[in-house]
Amino acid sequence: NRTWQTDYTAWDQVKRITLDEAHASGNYAAWSQGRAHNEFVFANIHRLLRDAVEQQHPGAPVGGEGMRHTDTYVGGDIALNSDMVSILHGHERPTQPEYIRCFAEPGAVTGHWVGSYFDRNHAEQKMRWQPWYSLFIGLNSAWWWTVSEDPRIGPAGLMPDLTPSPQFDWMAQEIREIKRGAGKLLLNSNRLHDAIAVHYSMASMRALYSHPNPTGEDREHWSKARIYDRMGIVRSKVAWGYILEDLGLQYVHLRQRDIEKGALINDGY
């Protein structure tokens, strides 16, 4: 009550507040904790489904594919999701593959979608590079979207006569080379890092989302929600990752609970 500036006397009185109500009151604690609960519910759905599948098929990998942006707007706390699934999967977006690398449970199937997206580079160099990028970042599977032709998108996996498209074939050639031995060697090796930790903070993402974009580039979604979080913190995270990598340094994302348990000291960051 003190933090939320309320006078509830029972749990069934507690209600979420909208972002507009948080703006009006100037108190964002109730809104932020409500969003955190949404993120937990979304992640926990995956755990319930995993438990149901494993009852019938013990050991089967279970998880969602193509997680959207990692932010509170879509409920996508990828660190929280990693506890609930044995498939951790996303898209070819800056930072997201790094999150998968850092948070996936041992033995999980990891990967991200590549392929026929209309806004992607489909040059031979890029398509041959893609599997090696996934391998060196620590992902252990390759996913191609999509097999069929569609005028709205880029090259499909298969031509109308069911032969591989050049783009798909370039990527497949590199995967075959990886599977000859190099990939297994790398996937079973221990990744070293340079004792650099980057704080993964959903609280910070929610804080950014709660305020209008200073550039004025926020936009309205069909649900009438405001999308503020595509700029500041996202671009900042990407920039810091590129800076560290350009310096030849390997970093690790740490979530709040890891820091609270002493990871910064215990693991030598």
Side-chain angles (χ1 to χ4, degrees):
N1 278 328
R2 182 171 60 253
T3 302
W4 286 22
Q5 299 177 7
T6 55
D7 55 2
Y8 297 131
T9 59
W11 283 112
D12 58 7
Q13 297 175 356
V14 178
K15 296 181 179 179
R16 299 171 189 259
I17 65 171
T18 66
L19 187 53
D20 286 341
E21 290 171 328
H23 284 318
S25 67
N27 186 335
Y28 294 88
W31 173 83
S32 180
Q33 288 184 300
R35 295 300 302 183
H37 182 255
N38 287 349
E39 293 154 15
F40 170 78
V41 170
F42 179 74
N44 199 48
I45 288 172
H46 292 77
R47 182 188 64 80
L48 295 174
L49 293 173
R50 177 183 177 180
D51 291 347
V53 171
E54 289 189 337
Q55 285 182 3
Q56 302 299 322
H57 303 282
V62 182
E65 52 79 21
M67 176 177 281
R68 305 297 293 176
H69 293 278
T70 305
D71 55 47
T72 192
Y73 176 73
V74 297
D77 184 345
I78 197 167
L80 187 59
N81 268 47
S82 69
D83 295 334
M84 314 293 188
V85 298
S86 48
I87 298 176
L88 196 61
H89 186 271
H91 282 85
E92 183 191 353
R93 292 191 174 94
T95 71
Q96 195 176 71
E98 298 286 352
Y99 293 150
I100 294 173
R101 168 178 68 83
C102 294
F103 299 136
E105 293 293 314
V109 175
T110 57
H112 62 166
W113 285 120
V114 298
S116 307
Y117 295 95
F118 66 90
D119 58 343
R120 305 292 168 83
N121 177 3
H122 301 108
E124 180 176 355
Q125 184 179 27
K126 170 65 183 300
M127 303 313 297
R128 291 188 181 277
W129 164 87
Q130 186 68 61
W132 292 97
Y133 165 73
S134 297
L135 175 65
F136 279 109
I137 210 170
L139 309 183
N140 58 24
S141 63
W143 301 59
W144 177 282
W145 185 90
T146 178
V147 172
S148 60
E149 185 62 62
D150 188 319
R152 300 169 298 173
I153 62 176
L158 299 179
M159 304 296 281
D161 62 357
L162 301 184
T163 59
S165 67
Q167 292 78 8
F168 185 84
D169 189 49
W170 293 330
M171 185 171 169
Q173 290 176 33
E174 300 305 316
I175 291 174
R176 285 195 291 270
E177 179 64 27
I178 288 171
K179 294 177 73 173
R180 288 177 59 186
K184 292 181 179 179
L185 180 64
L186 287 170
L187 287 172
N188 289 285
S189 61
N190 293 321
R191 177 181 290 271
L192 303 178
H193 61 79
D194 293 289
I196 298 171
V198 177
H199 186 195
Y200 172 89
S201 172
M202 284 300 292
S204 296
M205 296 182 198
R206 288 193 295 271
L208 181 74
Y209 178 86
S210 68
H211 289 72
N213 194 321
T215 66
E217 297 181 31
D218 54 282
R219 57 192 175 88
E220 188 172 84
H221 187 255
W222 59 263
S223 65
K224 304 304 180 183
R226 303 300 298 183
I227 303 177
Y228 301 143
D229 55 348
R230 297 292 184 264
M231 302 294 289
I233 197 170
V234 175
R235 291 185 176 180
S236 177
K237 289 185 298 182
V238 172
W240 276 107
Y242 286 161
I243 289 171
L244 292 171
E245 290 172 355
D246 286 348
L247 290 171
L249 300 172
Q250 179 66 71
Y251 59 92
V252 176
H253 286 283
L254 289 184
R255 49 195 146 190
Q256 187 68 31
R257 74 178 191 211
D258 298 324
I259 297 173
E260 292 172 351
K261 291 179 180 178
L264 290 173
I265 297 174
N266 299 335
D267 297 335
Y269 291 103

